[in-house]
Amino acid sequence: MGVTDAAVETVDLRRSYGGVAVLDGLTMRVARGSVHALLGPNGAGKTTTVRILATLTTPDGGVARVDGHDVVRDRSRVRRAISLAGQHAALDDQQTGAENLHMMARLAGLAPAAARRRATDLLERFDLVAAGGRRVVTYSGGMRRRLDLAASLVGQPSVIFLDEPTTGLDPRSRQGLWEVVAELAGAGVTVLLTTQYLEEADRLADRIAVLHGGRLAAEGSADDLKRRFGAHRLELTLRDARSFAEAAHRLGGRVTHRDPARLELAVATDGGAPEIRHLLDEVDPDRQGLARFTVREATLDDVFLTLTGDPVPARREAAGV
């Protein structure tokens, strides 16, 4: 991908807090008009990366560009090109939805009539027309997130940063927000999102960057990452405690998951029939101890565990880094 194709680019980006390196040489590119997800365990540097790109934090070293502009030297140009929707909706609860959008449009420099038209257009786009005359304090969580995202688009940015946009939303509201993000990318807006939901990254992102220890551990499409770092898994349920213990002994260090209470074991596999047959014969040679088995395809959970050594991340990022 050439430089002109990059809506966002970082080279050897560094940032420390209290002597602790949060970003330790992060280099990545985000293609224009794409949805790019940042994944990583708590403290991996996801939010710090977004804050630097949004000109809210200054890096200690390295280079970061947004829409071709350096985030330190060309801060004002970067801010005109971007919008940021954080984890918490930045709205005035005592104003109506329409009033919030009109106010944002006026702050963005639109004339009164143009601001009203922009507010009306955004209420329609985000399915908030019926609620536009109500005070935001009466909105549900999903409605507030949609309004916050609408407000972030008042200035028609070319790049939008979404920091955990669906945290705390119910499944229906998350689905609705996913559809909006897909529409943004389809309209040519570049979306860089951080998320703690692996399903969200799998569903939305054209490319996924996995951060670990302030560095880029891996990058690629969801399918590519699964192929390179995930693994099929043979999940076994044994008939009794004795069969469980014998199977666990035979598999030894190859066991990737064990649950004695449920008599369940799991082992990585290439998913091919020859290896599956071999493992089943090895685990249960007399064909008396195995109750059932399942072959599961690789998921982003597997990729995350392989690259970071951590289980699926918590829903909030500790210390905002």
Side-chain angles (χ1 to χ4, degrees):
M1 178 169 60
V3 173
T4 57
D5 297 323
V8 175
E9 182 179 21
T10 70
V11 180
D12 198 28
L13 199 62
R14 300 177 183 275
R15 186 68 166 96
S16 297
Y17 293 97
V20 177
V22 176
L23 291 179
D24 188 19
L26 176 63
T27 297
M28 69 174 188
R29 284 183 174 182
V30 177
R32 294 183 185 276
S34 69
V35 179
H36 202 103
L38 295 184
L39 289 179
N42 290 342
K46 302 187 299 297
T47 295
T48 297
T49 300
V50 169
R51 288 183 61 83
I52 289 174
L53 293 172
T55 75
L56 300 177
T57 297
T58 302
D60 295 332
V63 176
R65 301 184 187 90
V66 177
D67 206 24
H69 307 302
D70 186 281
V71 300
V72 176
R73 295 195 306 268
D74 304 320
R75 181 174 298 182
S76 61
R77 290 184 177 180
V78 171
R79 290 184 174 180
R80 285 195 293 269
I82 68 169
S83 188
L84 169 65
Q87 297 178 17
H88 305 288
L91 303 167
D92 185 338
D93 282 349
Q94 300 310 309
Q95 289 190 342
T96 67
E99 288 169 343
N100 267 276
L101 294 179
H102 183 265
M103 175 184 67
M104 295 291 187
R106 293 288 287 138
L107 290 173
L110 273 65
R116 284 192 294 273
R117 288 195 298 271
R118 185 67 177 147
T120 299
D121 290 345
L122 288 169
L123 288 173
E124 292 176 353
R125 182 175 184 180
F126 287 85
D127 194 23
L128 290 168
V129 173
R134 287 167 39 196
R135 289 193 303 163
V136 173
V137 70
T138 68
Y139 282 22
S140 67
M143 293 167 64
R144 289 176 63 90
R145 294 304 287 162
R146 294 208 307 277
L147 182 62
D148 187 45
L149 191 52
S152 71
L153 293 174
V154 161
Q156 297 180 307
S158 60
V159 179
I160 183 168
F161 302 114
L162 303 180
D163 193 10
E164 300 192 26
T166 61
T167 296
L169 297 188
D170 60 76
R172 184 183 297 274
S173 297
R174 286 176 64 202
Q175 179 71 35
L177 204 58
W178 288 352
E179 292 173 0
V180 170
V181 171
E183 288 178 12
L184 291 176
V189 178
T190 303
V191 180
L192 178 64
L193 68 91
T194 71
T195 180
Q196 295 285 8
Y197 299 107
L198 301 186
E199 177 193 6
E200 188 161 84
D202 202 349
R203 170 75 176 272
L204 290 178
D206 300 300
R207 291 182 68 81
I208 298 169
V210 182
L211 273 58
H212 186 52
R215 292 177 176 270
L216 185 65
E219 189 176 25
S221 68
D223 288 343
D224 178 46
L225 291 175
K226 291 173 191 176
R227 184 173 58 253
R228 289 160 55 200
F229 302 104
H232 287 72
R233 192 163 74 174
L234 177 62
E235 298 178 339
L236 308 166
T237 302
L238 286 305
R239 294 190 182 280
D240 50 45
R242 178 180 177 181
S243 298
F244 175 88
E246 291 175 350
H249 177 72
R250 292 185 180 109
L251 291 171
R254 290 172 290 169
V255 173
T256 60
H257 167 79
R258 69 180 68 217
D259 186 341
R262 300 173 65 91
L263 302 177
E264 293 176 349
L265 294 169
V267 60
T269 171
D270 64 9
E275 186 177 31
I276 297 297
R277 292 192 188 98
H278 174 76
L279 285 169
L280 292 175
D281 288 340
E282 180 183 0
V283 166
D284 188 24
D286 59 4
R287 302 191 178 185
Q288 298 296 315
L290 185 63
R292 59 184 177 273
F293 71 90
T294 302
V295 179
R296 187 174 63 79
E297 294 185 351
T299 67
L300 280 182
D301 298 51
D302 303 317
V303 173
F304 193 93
L305 181 61
T306 298
L307 290 172
T308 70
D310 293 330
V312 176
R315 295 307 186 204
R316 293 298 182 104
E317 186 163 13
V321 297

